[in-house]
Amino acid sequence: MPADVTYLGADHVLSWPAAVDTGPAVAFAHHTNKNQDLILDAWAILAGRANTVPPLMMVGVSGTNREKLTAMLEERKLSQHVQLAPFLPEEEYRRMLSAAASIVFPSDFEGFGLPIVEGMALGKPVVIGPERATMEVAGGHAVVMADWTAEALADAVTTAGRLSSEELELARVWGAGFTWDRTVTQTRAMLARLALSRT
């Protein structure tokens, strides 16, 4: 069956605070498709591999999920390496993403995956899982996990930390192509085709 796709924009990040890499890696934990358990298992592997573990901020943690993740941090001895944050006010979220060292987004089900292109447009290394929608959105410019294991995620995070400035710039240019003007143009064209098909 024919289908139309309209991509979201990411050029709103141009009005955010200037991008730096002084903050932790950022991951998301507000739905189970974000694979919070997998992320923490990967960070435990990273902690076992080296003396220096990338600091991580997991955002969107609330309610019983906070209790569960807090227990997992203690069990894996990761409390000093991983912070849990609730849903953040918009300004605080913008500052956090603009300062992120990387975006870790191993979601196994997405309609789009906006943080991927936001991160790229900000010049951040982005890690994703081998999920079709996120791979399409990333356009070959994210580090893709080899499979859905914690070991593969740990490897991908390590690789992302070694990306060259040239690779990050190519990803930034790709992310910058996701504009809201393009979203409007694509949506109008789709609606026009739909209207013509009904006449």
Side-chain angles (χ1 to χ4, degrees):
M1 183 177 201
D4 281 290
V5 175
T6 298
Y7 292 111
L8 301 181
D11 51 338
H12 52 269
V13 303
L14 298 177
S15 67
W16 290 8
V20 293
D21 60 358
T22 55
V26 172
F28 300 85
H30 52 289
H31 291 299
T32 55
N33 64 308
K34 309 305 181 190
N35 282 312
Q36 307 97 313
D37 296 18
L38 182 68
I39 294 169
L40 293 185
D41 286 342
W43 245 254
I45 291 171
L46 290 169
R49 287 182 180 176
N51 293 328
T52 304
V53 184
L56 174 69
M57 174 77 77
M58 298 185 78
V59 183
V61 183
S62 60
T64 57
N65 194 32
R66 172 172 286 277
E67 296 171 9
K68 170 194 163 187
L69 293 179
T70 299
M72 290 180 67
L73 290 180
E74 293 172 356
E75 180 185 337
R76 290 160 177 74
K77 298 180 172 57
L78 290 174
S79 299
Q80 62 181 330
H81 304 299
V82 180
Q83 293 179 276
L84 304 178
F87 288 100
L88 300 175
E90 184 65 24
E91 290 302 318
E92 189 175 346
Y93 175 79
R94 293 177 181 182
R95 287 194 298 271
M96 179 199 65
L97 219 62
S98 294
S102 63
I103 307 299
V104 180
F105 200 80
S107 174
D108 57 29
F109 180 79
E110 287 295 328
F112 186 78
L114 187 56
I116 295 169
V117 288
E118 287 178 333
M120 287 182 176
L122 288 166
K124 310 294 181 182
V126 176
V127 174
I128 61 173
E131 192 271 341
R132 292 176 65 183
T134 55
M135 290 175 69
E136 178 181 333
V137 167
H141 296 288
V143 179
V144 184
M145 297 160 55
D147 54 46
W148 290 106
T149 63
E151 191 83 21
L153 179 53
D155 290 343
V157 169
T158 299
T159 299
R162 297 172 179 163
L163 291 179
S164 68
S165 57
E166 291 80 7
E167 290 170 309
L168 291 174
E169 175 59 14
L170 287 171
R172 189 199 64 76
V173 170
W174 174 262
F178 288 81
T179 68
W180 288 106
D181 279 347
R182 186 175 77 161
T183 302
V184 171
T185 299
Q186 290 177 333
T187 302
R188 284 176 173 166
M190 177 186 66
L191 293 173
R193 287 193 296 272
L194 181 61
L196 284 173
S197 70
R198 298 294 178 91
T199 57

